[in-house]
Amino acid sequence: MSEQRDTNFWKWAQKLSPRVARFVFGGYLVLAAAAIVLSWRIAPSALVPTAIFILVLATIVALLVQALSRRTGYPAAVALWAMLVGCIVIAILFISSAFFGMPERGATLVARLFKQDELAIVGGTDPAINLGPGTVGIPESYRAEPDANGDRYDRISDLSKRAPVILKGATVVLDAPAFYFGTLRLDDTKLVTKGQNVIIEVVRIEAVGYASIDSFISSLSPAPGSPGGQLKLVIYDRIRGQLSVDLSGTSGAKGADGRNGVAGGGGAPGENSAQSLFDCKHGGGSGGPGQPGGKGEDGSPGLPGGDGGTLFLVASDPDRLFNSIKFIATGGEGGPGGHHGNGGPGGPGGPGGHGGGFCGGGQAGPQGPPGSDGRNGISGKPGSGGSVVKLSLDSENGR
């Protein structure tokens, strides 16, 4: 009786195996097609490892189905069926984790396995935060660093769950050393660093209209001769649109004007007249000429312009990402030299000698010549241009 049941079971198993095979391979065909489409749309570079993974699982399933078609003991049959079901579950979880972010931990594991940053993006459920127009500030929650204990895939997962920030027609002064975003949308918006060193770590930037990150803007009255500072952009996914980054230094201040020369001293008085009881021996002498005016001071040199800043661009492919950035980092012009001081006026001529009685007084002396003017100050030295440093995420200690 027992032998009969055993025989019937294996006949059922052998009959069922081709059906299972057709079902499993049909399912794998659908999963493979979905994986290819989603890979191409979400993470094209994951296409090859995805295909290899599906192929390996399909091969394992083929071997399991073949083994199930043969007569084996009950323990072995149970183990084979368990392995078959496990492979099917693994395939479903793989597709769900890799391309739909569910479960979240699975998405991070798949991203880490394939070294694909895009696959760690899971997306959050919080509504977007809209800011602008006008001058606005970034909420405090976006200044908090993501989980520092994990690797970069954990950071991507954490950041991608943050609510998107949409800035429209806004001017934002970045008043903290670092900001962390999931999706940052800049719609006709300026982010201003004021020449400070700033880090922006973000999954994705969407640039709409004129979107820029500037070291200075004229409406905020930047200090003369300020350098552009350092901006570090860590971008895990991409930049959509064209982002302008201007880290130019400001022009140097004007040099101080030279002081005018001092006025010359007065001339010596003329000799007084001399006379006797009956006539004039000589009249009063003419006064001496006035002293020359003092030389005007030279104008001071203009102050140097600020150096252009440095953009540190950190991404999995920084060269490709840089194509979406218009980078400017000119050095500021040197300040103009100060104006020269004018020469001082010549001193007045000395008074004529006194007359009296039979003698007349002398004439006053001529005014002294004016002093020579100083020289205009030279222009300040222009600031040096800035630069771009492109870094791979793999060079950032695993971030």
Side-chain angles (χ1 to χ4, degrees), residues 24-38 50 54 57 87-96 99:
V24 170
F25 281 110
Y28 266 106
L29 182 62
V30 173
L31 289 175
I36 291 172
V37 171
L38 292 171
T50 298
I54 294 294
L57 280 179
C87 288
I88 296 173
V89 172
I90 288 173
I92 294 174
L93 287 176
F94 169 76
I95 298 297
S96 177
F99 304 112

Side-chain angles (χ1 to χ4, degrees), residues 124 282 312 372-373:
H282 63 79
F312 292 90
S372 60
D373 293 339

Side-chain angles (χ1 to χ4, degrees), residues 127-160:
I129 296 177
N130 292 273
L131 300 172
T135 303
V136 298
I138 301 296
E140 287 292 332
S141 58
Y142 293 92
R143 307 174 190 216
E145 187 174 4
D147 184 8
N149 295 324
D151 59 12
R152 80 169 184 248
Y153 303 104
D154 294 313
R155 295 177 75 91
I156 295 170
S157 178
D158 189 342
L159 289 172
S160 65

Side-chain angles (χ1 to χ4, degrees), residues 19 21-22 24 51 69 117 204 212 221 230 308 330 333 347 358 365 371:
R19 297 177 184 176
R22 286 195 297 270
V24 170
S69 65
D117 298 333
R204 180 186 302 116
S212 68
S221 302
Q230 296 180 356
T330 57
E333 295 181 356
F358 300 106

Side-chain angles (χ1 to χ4, degrees), residues 257-324:
D257 292 336
R259 291 178 295 183
N260 293 330
V262 297
E271 183 182 4
N272 292 328
S273 63
Q275 60 184 344
S276 64
L277 292 175
F278 305 102
D279 60 1
C280 176
K281 293 184 177 181
H282 63 79
S286 298
Q291 299 296 313
K295 181 181 182 298
E297 285 186 344
D298 295 338
S300 298
L303 299 181
D307 294 336
T310 302
L311 171 63
F312 292 90
L313 183 59
V314 185
S316 56
D317 187 355
D319 289 318
R320 176 184 61 82
L321 197 68
F322 189 66
N323 293 330
S324 299

